[in-house]
C-alpha cells in the first residue's frame, strides 16, 4: 500500500519555505490550493532516479515488442500464414517513382 502523500498549503510556502523544502527531501510534497492539488515538489535526485527507471522500462517494452514481432513472423512462416515473395525490382522502382535505367 502506498503511504498517504505529504501535503502543504500553497499559501504557506512563502512563510514556511524551508520546512516544506525539508519535507520534500524525504518525500514528494503536494502543494494544495483550497483543498485542490496544484503542484508537486520533488527533489532533483528522486526526479532523476524516476526518469532513469522510466527510460529503462520504456526501452524494455520496446525490446519486448520487437521480440513479439519476430516470433509472430516466425510463427506465420511455420504455419504457412505468411510467405516470403521475391522482390520485383521494376515494381519497387515504380512504387518509388523511379524509372529503371
Amino acid at each position: 500500500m502506498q503511504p498517504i502523500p505529504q501535503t502543504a498549503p500553497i499559501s504557506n510556502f512563502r512563510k514556511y519555505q524551508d520546512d516544506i523544502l525539508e519535507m520534500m527531501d524525504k518525500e514528494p510534497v503536494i502543494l494544495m490550493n483550497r483543498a485542490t492539488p496544484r503542484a508537486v515538489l520533488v527533489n532533483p535526485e528522486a526526479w532523476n532516479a524516476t526518469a532513469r527507471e522510466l527510460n529503462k522500462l520504456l526501452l524494455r517494452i520496446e525490446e519486448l515488442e520487437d521480440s513479439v514481432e519476430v516470433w509472430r513472423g516466425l510463427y506465420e512462416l511455420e504455419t504457412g500464414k505468411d510467405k516470403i515473395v521475391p522482390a520485383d525490382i521494376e515494381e519497387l522502382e515504380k512504387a518509388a517513382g523511379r524509372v529503371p535505367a
Side-chain angles (χ1 to χ4, degrees):
M1 181 182 290
Q2 293 287 335
I4 297 172
Q6 302 181 96
T7 63
I10 202 164
S11 58
N12 286 1
F13 190 70
R14 185 174 292 159
K15 186 174 182 181
Y16 299 106
Q17 177 180 334
D18 291 337
D19 295 335
I20 293 172
L21 291 176
E22 190 174 309
M23 289 170 56
M24 180 198 65
D25 285 337
K26 296 175 188 150
E27 294 179 23
V29 177
I30 299 173
L31 295 179
M32 307 291 285
N33 185 24
R34 297 184 182 163
T36 303
R38 296 295 294 160
V40 179
L41 295 177
V42 181
N43 72 33
E45 293 82 18
W47 178 272
N48 290 335
T50 302
R52 281 191 297 274
E53 289 303 312
L54 179 60
N55 285 334
K56 286 181 194 176
L57 286 173
L58 292 173
L59 180 59
R60 183 68 179 138
I61 288 170
E62 187 176 319
E63 290 170 350
L64 290 171
E65 288 174 339
D66 291 346
S67 295
V68 167
E69 288 302 313
V70 168
W71 284 105
R72 180 180 289 132
L74 291 172
Y75 171 78
E76 289 175 353
L77 283 172
E78 286 293 320
T79 60
K81 293 182 180 181
D82 191 21
K83 296 184 170 85
I84 296 176
V85 178
D88 180 352
I89 299 300
E90 289 179 18
E91 189 176 315
L92 291 173
E93 287 177 335
K94 284 180 189 175
R98 293 178 40 199
V99 177

